[in-house]
Amino acid sequence: MASLSSNDSIVIVGAGIIGLNVALVLAEKGYGQSITVVAEYFPGDTSTYYTSPWAGCNFSAISGTDINALRWDRMGYAHLSKLATHHPEESYVQWTPSTELWDEDIPRDKIQHMSEYLKDFRVLSDAELPRGVKFAVSFTTLTVNAPKHIKYLYRRLQDQFGVRFVRQRLPSIQAAYASPSTKIVFNCTGLGSGTLPGVEDPKCYPTRGQVLLVKGPHIQTNMMRHGVDYETYVIPRPGSNGNAILGGYMQKGVNDGSTYDSETKSILARTRDLSSEVSQQEPEVLAVVAGLRPSREGGARVERDEILVGGQKRILVHNYGAGGTGFQAGYGMALESVATVEDMLRDIRDSIARPRL
Ligand SMILES: Cc1cc2nc3c(=O)[nH]c(=O)nc-3n(C[C@H](O)[C@H](O)[C@H](O)COP(=O)(O)OP(=O)(O)OC[C@H]3O[C@@H](n4cnc5c(N)ncnc54)[C@H](O)[C@@H]3O)c2cc1C
């Protein structure tokens, strides 16, 4: 692998779905050969401190109700739609029928906004609602095989766009400016932003989730039930020979990557109640995993900043705190973080175009 001290105009710290989407947006604009992604963990690795491989993963109404979340979701849905339509096998993104149910606390403005772009959107009639459910919608969503999708991005960024990857755990965000030629650093360190010197954002916290990978070729429908104090979901996994993910948990502030039998039992019971596809045949559990969503009070931080490195002001763009929505909102977050540095990108473009003397 290359080292960080070579000619790196753009450095992206983090190779989760957020860093990979930033690299993709920049590469699609023509900057692939100016990008180095530096990270401790890459697609293919598993660690409690690398969230992306553990995602379920789907597009759903689980995200926040603020205007940022609404915008990022919409852009993410458009991006994933293109992949599912034009490259479903390579990208491991698939169109999937979906139903979402709410026990109460229905985010009506958010649903109204989502209804403008979600394919086949429909509000279920009262007669169709299961017991205890106050409101439900159906639409065609996108499901993602998270570990395979990040590997697809990793390969594509290298093979198609010439992006370089460097494996290194940085001791501080300032260490990303090892090369004097580095013009922009993107901080996409997920949960790491809570402790990384130079960032140390006290608003960061983990939201633990446990999920089951099951054999279930007959499970074809995405189902979500949003309870007051629980989240239950069933997500068919694209390109997995008929596996599905059953979940789940949203445990705010819990920093524990262990798995628990009691939670497995609860997930099996709740998903049997939720989905007729799960209840028609006892699913074979292939794996039980837990992941830590990189959450942040007030929502994700997508923001241009400046940082002093060796007495000089350098450009730092933050993009972290995606919580439970890094796959559905990540491309939108990437578009907006890249837009904050358009002026710097123009300089880099000019220096690429200028012939070396
Ligand atoms: C159980 C579960 C289910 C989920 N389901 C969904 C879903 O259905 N839909 C959805 O959209 N999202 C879902 N999510 C959320 C999604 O997984 C996260 O939002 C997303 O993975 C966050 O990506 P990230 O790139 O910010 O962080 P990460 O994937 O954790 O990546 C962080 C990167 O930063 C690197 N890094 C950190 N510190 C340093 C350092 N000091 N030096 C070098 N590198 C460093 C790490 O090595 C890694 O490469 C789910 C998550 C969980 C746990």
Side-chain angles (χ1 to χ4, degrees):
M1 273 196 182
S3 85
L4 191 56
S5 56
S6 39
N7 184 20
D8 307 316
S9 300
I10 305 169
V11 171
I12 298 169
V13 188
I17 189 62
I18 298 299
L20 295 170
N21 267 320
V22 169
L24 181 64
V25 167
L26 287 164
E28 287 171 338
K29 284 174 168 282
Y31 297 98
Q33 306 212 357
S34 306
I35 303 170
T36 297
V37 179
V38 57
E40 182 176 15
Y41 298 110
F42 287 139
D45 297 336
T46 50
S47 159
T48 304
Y49 299 101
Y50 185 34
T51 310
S52 295
W54 308 122
C57 166
N58 65 14
F59 182 100
S60 80
I62 207 169
S63 47
T65 50
D66 57 288
I67 51 167
N68 287 338
L70 296 182
R71 230 178 31 253
W72 294 331
D73 274 357
R74 189 174 194 144
M75 292 188 267
Y77 189 81
H79 168 66
L80 294 173
S81 300
K82 277 191 207 142
L83 292 178
T85 302
H86 302 295
H87 309 282
E89 276 89 27
E90 308 99 280
S91 69
Y92 294 89
V93 181
Q94 186 175 286
W95 289 110
T96 306
S98 179
T99 300
E100 297 200 30
L101 314 165
W102 281 264
D103 291 358
E104 46 193 278
D105 191 23
I106 301 135
R108 290 204 184 264
D109 290 351
K110 177 193 177 79
I111 298 297
Q112 169 62 35
H113 182 264
M114 293 175 85
S115 71
E116 291 166 14
Y117 65 89
L118 293 176
K119 205 170 159 219
D120 309 317
F121 180 88
R122 184 172 80 83
V123 175
L124 271 59
S125 68
D126 287 350
E128 295 172 279
L129 300 182
R131 197 156 33 91
V133 171
K134 290 243 170 72
F135 179 75
V137 299
S138 69
F139 57 96
T140 303
T141 196
L142 288 318
T143 49
V144 183
N145 183 331
K148 290 277 176 60
H149 179 67
I150 56 175
K151 277 193 186 167
Y152 151 79
L153 291 175
Y154 184 44
R155 261 194 314 272
R156 189 171 159 211
L157 287 166
Q158 292 175 88
D159 299 350
Q160 184 181 345
F161 296 111
V163 173
R164 292 184 306 142
F165 285 81
V166 174
R167 186 186 291 277
Q168 191 182 333
R169 178 180 166 79
L170 296 184
S172 66
I173 199 66
Q174 288 88 344
Y177 299 85
S179 164
S181 62
T182 294
K183 303 264 191 308
I184 312 165
V185 169
F186 287 87
N187 168 33
C188 308
T189 53
L191 258 191
S193 287
T195 51
L196 183 64
V199 184
E200 290 170 302
D201 183 343
K203 293 183 177 163
C204 292
Y205 64 91
T207 302
R208 179 183 173 278
Q210 176 164 317
V211 293
L212 317 179
L213 177 71
V214 300
K215 190 96 212 139
H218 58 290
I219 300 174
Q220 303 283 328
T221 311
N222 186 81
M223 300 279 305
M224 309 272 301
R225 183 155 176 174
H226 309 288
V228 180
D229 55 4
Y230 69 90
E231 274 297 330
T232 303
Y233 49 86
V234 175
I235 309 176
R237 176 159 271 196
S240 66
N241 279 325
N243 295 341
I245 291 289
L246 309 184
Y249 283 89
M250 300 287 280
Q251 295 164 335
K252 189 173 173 182
V254 176
N255 194 17
D256 175 5
S258 317
T259 59
Y260 296 94
D261 283 348
S262 57
E263 295 189 349
T264 297
K265 286 195 187 104
S266 167
I267 290 170
L268 284 170
R270 283 186 280 133
T271 52
R272 260 196 306 268
D273 275 356
L274 175 63
S275 159
S276 57
E277 291 174 343
V278 175
S279 64
Q280 75 185 229
Q281 194 183 316
E282 183 69 22
E284 180 193 347
V285 178
L286 304 174
V288 182
V289 299
L292 305 178
R293 300 172 181 91
S295 304
R296 182 173 181 270
E297 299 292 350
R301 183 179 184 195
V302 175
E303 183 180 36
R304 175 171 169 166
D305 196 5
E306 280 180 349
I307 186 167
L308 274 182
V309 183
Q312 288 203 321
K313 277 190 188 163
R314 311 287 286 269
I315 302 294
L316 175 62
V317 183
H318 296 289
N319 188 346
Y320 63 85
T325 65
F327 283 80
Q328 69 180 60
Y331 192 82
M333 292 165 68
L335 284 173
E336 292 196 358
S337 63
V338 168
T340 67
V341 285
E342 266 307 331
D343 54 332
M344 305 294 298
L345 291 174
R346 266 193 301 278
D347 291 350
I348 295 172
R349 194 156 48 224
D350 291 348
S351 69
I352 299 171
R354 214 175 297 131
R356 284 171 194 271
L357 297 175

